[in-house]
Amino acid sequence: MKKVLVTGATGQIGSELTLLLRENLGSTSVIAAGHIKKPDPALRESGPFHYIDCTQINTIAELVKKYKVDTIYHLASVLSASAEKNPQLGWQVNVNGLYNVLEVAREYGCAVFTPSSIAIFGPSTPLQNTPQDTVQRPTTIYGVTKVAGELLCDYYFKRFGVDTRGVRYPGLISYKTPPGGGTTDYAVEIYFEAVKHKKYTCYLKTETCLDMMYMPDALKAAIEIMEADPGRLKHRNAFNVTAMSVAPETIAAEIKKLIPDFTIAYQIDPLRQAIADSWPDSMDDSASRQEWGWKPKYDLQMTTRDMIQNISKILEDPS
Ligand code: AKB
């Protein structure tokens, strides 16, 4: 029987991935681990939950030993805008935390999924249709930690045979758990504000194009890459994946089709705008499509419809 550990289980991806894995593998097969944030009842009541600190290796090793874990989805991470405000913490969690997970995986024979990000690219990368293999000179500490993470995962695979895999996530759109401290967070906030107040003030410029993906596709990517035939994976830890390339004005126009009196205004945050400007406008994810059959389901129209429906339901019945 598979035994999976999810770190960062109370976060935007973790809170949903844990529940999906529990549905697929059985509730006791998936151990959720968070750091500070309290788990919501669905997460807490559907299987084991523990507090750990990934910067303390023993807290990870104890869980892996106790539950005989064979696969770790290591999602604990400090996102781009937060890491820029506290670079030391960003390095500590994103690099040292990952190093600890890889060391435990090496010792106990676990496979590891680690998300990388569009943030591994920088201003000297071709920003349109960004190739799979290209210049990686990020100018944010988050990007630096994610490049280090990709290389560390490659190294642990080559040197120690740890089955490490990962994708470069774009901005993720979801309604269940809010993201925190990312540059792409506007693409979640805009939907909540549209449903609640029919208006949104955006911190990125109207035409700032970035890759995005709806959460069901992000979960599908994490599960599918871990199930992929290893013989076909040439880019193990660093697959470009995307579902759409959109700007605030594109999302706003799509929302207006369903909420006609929605309006958007702009008040630019220089920190997050500079980060967004250094990231690709659109990525080429053909390597993922070829090597493990990646195909997203949700485009912007489907995402917008689903987000608005679900947020309306939550606001009607917050329980
Ligand atoms: C962020 O904005 O920091 C993240 C990411 C693109 O990795 N959502």
Side-chain angles (χ1 to χ4, degrees):
M1 197 172 69
K2 264 193 111 43
K3 280 279 183 182
V4 175
L5 170 65
V6 181
T7 74
T10 55
Q12 187 193 14
I13 309 174
S15 57
E16 296 201 40
L17 183 64
T18 306
L19 297 189
L20 182 60
L21 288 168
R22 282 180 177 164
E23 246 175 73
N24 295 349
L25 303 172
S27 52
T28 54
S29 295
V30 184
I31 295 88
H35 181 35
I36 292 169
K37 199 173 148 200
K38 263 175 78 175
D40 67 19
L43 187 64
R44 181 73 201 88
E45 286 154 24
S46 60
F49 179 88
H50 293 268
Y51 287 102
I52 64 168
D53 176 354
C54 291
T55 66
Q56 305 300 318
I57 193 165
N58 60 315
T59 67
I60 310 164
E62 274 162 23
L63 282 188
V64 166
K65 247 190 302 184
K66 175 172 172 175
Y67 288 100
K68 299 191 170 42
V69 166
D70 54 59
T71 305
I72 305 173
Y73 284 84
H74 177 49
L75 307 176
S77 181
V78 179
L79 295 186
S80 55
S82 296
E84 220 45 55
K85 288 183 191 141
N86 189 346
Q88 294 77 9
L89 180 72
W91 182 270
Q92 189 63 12
V93 174
N94 296 1
V95 181
N96 297 348
L98 172 60
Y99 170 78
N100 289 339
V101 166
L102 290 170
E103 269 298 290
V104 172
R106 179 182 66 76
E107 196 173 338
Y108 294 95
C110 307
V112 179
F113 171 85
T114 316
S116 185
S117 162
I118 50 172
I120 54 94
F121 299 116
S124 53
T125 303
L127 297 182
Q128 264 87 40
N129 203 25
T130 303
Q132 171 66 46
D133 300 305
T134 184
V135 180
Q136 290 181 239
R137 304 286 297 172
T139 48
T140 62
I141 186 68
Y142 178 66
V144 171
T145 66
K146 289 289 172 182
V147 173
E150 287 186 0
L151 296 175
L152 208 52
C153 288
D154 282 351
Y155 182 79
Y156 268 72
F157 170 64
K158 288 204 190 85
R159 177 78 168 76
F160 302 118
V162 177
D163 185 2
T164 52
R165 305 184 189 195
V167 295
R168 292 171 178 156
Y169 277 133
L172 298 181
I173 302 175
S174 68
Y175 59 87
K176 289 192 180 145
T177 305
T183 301
T184 58
D185 294 6
Y186 91 84
V188 172
E189 292 166 10
I190 192 170
Y191 288 105
F192 277 89
E193 292 305 305
V195 177
K196 278 193 214 158
H197 306 298
K198 297 187 169 36
K199 59 178 192 229
Y200 177 61
T201 303
C202 187
Y203 56 78
L204 292 184
K205 289 185 194 156
T206 180
E207 72 286 0
T208 309
C209 241
L210 291 166
D211 286 287
M212 297 280 171
M213 185 182 290
Y214 196 33
M215 188 56 82
D217 279 330
L219 305 181
K220 186 165 108 84
I223 290 175
E224 284 180 4
I225 187 138
M226 291 310 280
E227 286 174 352
D229 171 1
R232 289 179 62 200
L233 300 181
K234 290 192 210 91
H235 300 87
R236 304 203 124 242
N237 296 300
F239 280 102
N240 286 3
V241 283
T242 183
M244 58 191 104
S245 162
V246 293
E249 63 190 3
T250 344
I251 300 184
E254 205 55 49
I255 291 175
K256 262 174 109 51
K257 290 184 191 163
L258 301 174
I259 306 177
D261 42 356
F262 172 69
T263 57
I264 184 162
Y266 295 90
Q267 195 176 345
I268 306 311
D269 169 10
L271 175 85
R272 285 179 288 186
Q273 185 65 49
I275 296 175
D277 288 343
S278 76
W279 290 353
D281 296 356
S282 62
M283 281 193 300
D284 170 10
D285 63 1
S286 51
S288 291
R289 291 172 189 260
Q290 280 154 22
E291 292 177 40
W292 51 280
W294 164 244
K295 195 168 183 294
K297 184 169 159 209
Y298 288 85
D299 61 11
L300 180 60
Q301 193 185 14
M302 288 169 74
T303 301
T304 302
R305 206 179 309 127
D306 209 61
M307 282 291 283
I308 289 177
Q309 263 173 18
N310 280 295
I311 294 169
S312 306
K313 269 192 229 149
I314 293 169
L315 295 178
E316 272 162 30
D317 179 11
S319 64

